Amino acid sequence: MSSLPHSLVLLLAAGALAGCSVAPPGAEVHDPYEGLNRRVHAVNKAADRVALRPLGRLAAQAPEVVTQPVVNFSDNAGLPGTVVNNLLQGDVEGAARNSLRFVVNTTVGVLGLADPAGAIGLQEVETDFGATLARWGAPEGAYLELPGFGPSTERDAAGRVVDILLDPLDGLGEVPDPVRDLSFPAKVAEQVVERGQLGSTFDEILYESADSYAQARLIYLQNRRFELGQAPAATDEDYYFDPYAETAE
Amino acid sequence: MTLTRRALLGAGAALALWPAAARAQDVAAARALVDRLVAEVNAVIASGVPEDRMIAQFAQIFQAYADAPTIARYSLGADARAASPDQLARYTQAFSNYVAEKYGRRFREFVGGEIVVEDARAVPNGIEVTTTAIFRNQAPFRADFWVSEATGQPKFFNLIIEGVNMLLSERTEVQALLDQRGGDIDRLIADLSAM
C-alpha cells in the first residue's frame, strides 16, 4: 500500500473532502446517509456479537502482563504517524515528546513492548489526520458508520485513509523490522483488548439501549468534537441549550 | 438638580453592576452545590458498600442535587406537552429510578477513585461547574455539571462527560423507547419502573 505515490493519496483525500457535505448550523447530527449507516451498524453489531465481544472477554481474563505489552507495542508503532500529524498541526512540542517517546520505547522498551517513557512522564500526545483536517478548517461532513471501524464522519474517514496509506513507519529504515511487520496484527489485537477493558460501557450502548445506532452516533460525535478541542465559548447559546426555556413554552 | 442627577447616575451604575454581582453569587452557589455533591459521591465511592446500597445512595444524591422534573421532562421532548400533569409526575418518578439504576451501576468502576471540582463559570443557560474524575487504571476525564436556579434553588440539570451530554443521550433513549411503544407514555412509565 505504501507504494502509492503520496501525491495521489493526498489528491484522493482532497477529493473526498471536497465531497464533505456541510452540516446545517446548530444541528447536533448531520446524517443524510442514515439508511445505509444503519445497515452497516447492524453488520458491525453482528460482528461484535460473534467475534469481538467474545474475544474481548477472553482478553479481559488474560493477565495484564500478556495484554499490556500488545497494547504498548501497537501504540508505539503508531507514534511516527502521530508525530507527522503533530507537525502538520503546528504542535512542535507534541511532536518532540512523541518522537522521544518512540526512541525510548523502541530501544529501552524492547521494540515498544514496555513503556519506560510513560514511567518517566512522557505520555503520548494523541492525534490523527482527521484532527489535522479539522485544524486546517475542513468541515466535519456527514456522519458515517464504517464497516469494521464503527462511528466516523466524512472528515474522519478521509483522515483514516491518509493515516493508513501514508504511515511514515514504512519509510523509517532504522526501525527494527518486527515493529513494522507486526504493527497491523498488533493494532487488531489492541482493539480486542480494549473491547474487553471497556466491556460494560460498550455492552450498554450496543445491547442495552433502545436505539444503539442513534446512541453510538450521538456519543461519537459529541466525544470527537470534545477531543478535537472545539470547546464551546462561554457565550455559545446553541451548545448551552436551555431546557427551562422549553418547559416554559 | 445636580444631586438628583448624580443620584440617578449612581443608581444607573449600581443597576449595571447588579447583574454581574448576582452572577458572581450564582457561580459561588453553583460551585458550592457541586462541592457538596462531589463530597457525597466520593464518600459513597470510598465506603465500599455493596452495589445495591450504592445504587440506593446514588438515587438519594440524584434526588437531592438534580432537577429531576426538568431532566425528565426534557427527555420526553415534544411528547411532554401531550402528557397530563399526573402522567408527568409518575414519569418523573420512574425516570429518576431508571437514571439512578443506570448510572449507579457504574459506581462499581469508581472504587478507589475520586472527583475533584476544578472551576465554575457563567454560561447562557446557567452556571457550568467543571470537575475531573480520577479513577484507577483510567486516564482522568472531564465531567461538567450545568447548574441552574430556575426552580428557586441551585440544582444541576445536565452532566457532560468528556463532551457527552446526559440530557441529549437520555432524550435519544427515551424517544426510541417511546417509538417502540407507539408513543404510549403509560406503557413507558410501567416499563421504566420495571427496569
Side-chain angles (χ1 to χ4, degrees):
Chain A
M1 283 207 283
S2 54
S3 60
L4 266 177
H6 288 187
S7 51
L8 178 63
V9 172
L10 282 175
L11 199 71
L12 286 172
L17 274 178
C20 277
S21 32
V22 178
E28 290 287 334
V29 171
H30 177 48
D31 190 3
Y33 312 120
E34 180 164 351
L36 176 64
N37 282 338
R38 279 190 182 271
R39 286 197 288 279
V40 174
H41 181 74
V43 173
N44 283 344
K45 201 168 157 178
D48 181 80
R49 192 179 287 119
V50 300
L52 196 53
R53 179 161 67 157
L55 288 172
R57 282 186 180 149
L58 281 179
Q61 282 162 15
E64 218 169 87
V65 291
V66 177
T67 55
Q68 195 55 47
V70 176
V71 173
N72 290 343
F73 181 90
S74 170
D75 285 346
N76 188 61
L79 280 171
T82 311
V83 169
V84 170
N85 283 306
N86 292 137
L87 290 174
L88 290 174
Q89 292 164 32
D91 180 8
V92 178
E93 200 207 314
R97 178 176 278 264
N98 285 338
S99 300
L100 191 56
R101 196 178 146 78
F102 182 68
V103 170
V104 169
N105 282 356
T106 303
T107 55
V108 184
V110 196
L111 306 175
L113 289 167
D115 181 16
I120 57 168
L122 269 178
Q123 309 298 343
E124 180 178 351
V125 182
E126 288 182 53
T127 192
D128 52 59
F129 198 70
T132 300
L133 291 173
R135 172 60 63 89
W136 290 353
E140 182 183 72
Y143 178 74
L144 292 177
E145 179 146 346
L146 303 176
F149 293 105
S152 190
T153 60
E154 286 177 320
R155 183 176 64 200
D156 286 333
R160 254 182 200 282
V161 171
V162 172
D163 277 329
I164 292 168
L165 294 184
L166 291 189
D167 192 344
L169 186 66
D170 300 325
L172 287 175
E174 302 81 3
V175 174
D177 287 339
V179 173
R180 208 179 354 261
D181 298 341
L182 295 176
S183 69
F184 180 71
K187 186 99 210 147
V188 175
E190 184 188 17
Q191 300 305 313
V192 171
V193 171
E194 283 180 353
R195 175 67 179 89
Q197 284 169 345
L198 297 172
S200 56
T201 311
F202 255 85
D203 287 347
E204 205 168 87
I205 299 163
L206 278 183
Y207 303 107
E208 285 167 42
S209 57
D211 182 351
S212 62
Y213 172 77
Q215 258 332 316
R217 177 179 63 187
L218 183 68
I219 290 170
Y220 175 80
L221 289 175
Q222 293 187 94
N223 181 248
R224 181 65 173 161
R225 287 167 192 162
F226 174 78
E227 223 175 51
L228 294 178
Q230 293 158 334
T235 50
D236 187 336
E237 292 189 8
D238 282 334
Y239 178 76
Y240 293 105
F241 62 95
D242 189 353
Y244 295 97
E246 191 167 302
T247 310
E249 271 169 33
Chain B
M1 227 17 214
T2 40
L3 192 83
T4 318
R5 194 180 139 81
R6 195 182 295 159
L8 274 172
L9 277 174
L15 270 175
L17 281 174
W18 179 76
R23 273 315 225 186
Q25 218 171 45
D26 290 347
V27 170
R31 189 182 173 122
L33 176 88
V34 177
D35 275 334
R36 276 182 279 127
L37 161 70
V38 160
E40 286 203 29
V41 169
N42 284 338
V44 174
I45 297 172
S47 70
V49 297
E51 190 176 48
D52 51 341
R53 288 232 357 241
M54 268 197 187
I55 292 173
Q57 284 171 339
F58 183 79
Q60 282 169 9
I61 294 173
F62 185 75
Q63 288 295 351
Y65 292 95
D67 181 2
T70 298
I71 299 172
R73 193 188 166 93
Y74 185 81
S75 72
L76 277 180
D79 294 284
R81 263 168 247 147
S84 70
D86 169 62
Q87 272 179 324
L88 267 184
R90 284 185 294 121
Y91 172 72
T92 299
Q93 184 60 47
F95 177 83
S96 300
N97 291 341
Y98 147 80
V99 164
E101 176 81 21
K102 179 171 170 181
Y103 292 80
R105 259 186 291 154
R106 309 304 296 275
F107 266 49
R108 194 177 26 177
E109 300 163 27
F110 300 169
V111 173
E114 65 165 345
I115 303 167
V116 181
V117 179
E118 304 280 1
D119 194 24
R121 66 173 184 172
V123 291
N125 59 3
I127 310 296
E128 180 183 56
V129 183
T130 53
T131 74
T132 303
I134 304 155
F135 299 134
R136 266 193 318 215
N137 305 323
Q138 263 190 57
F141 63 85
R142 265 274 292 281
D144 302 341
F145 292 86
W146 290 358
V147 178
S148 171
E149 291 195 36
T151 60
Q153 279 203 337
K155 297 261 186 186
F156 83 85
F157 62 92
N158 202 359
L159 170 63
I160 296 98
I161 295 173
E162 292 279 296
V164 179
N165 185 309
M166 174 186 169
L167 277 182
L168 295 177
S169 272
E170 293 312 328
R171 180 183 266 196
T172 301
E173 179 69 7
V174 168
Q175 292 305 304
L177 289 170
L178 262 177
D179 283 349
Q180 288 169 356
R181 288 159 183 78
D184 185 339
I185 294 183
D186 285 323
R187 263 182 67 201
L188 175 70
I189 293 169
D191 291 346
L192 276 185
S193 306
M195 265 183 194

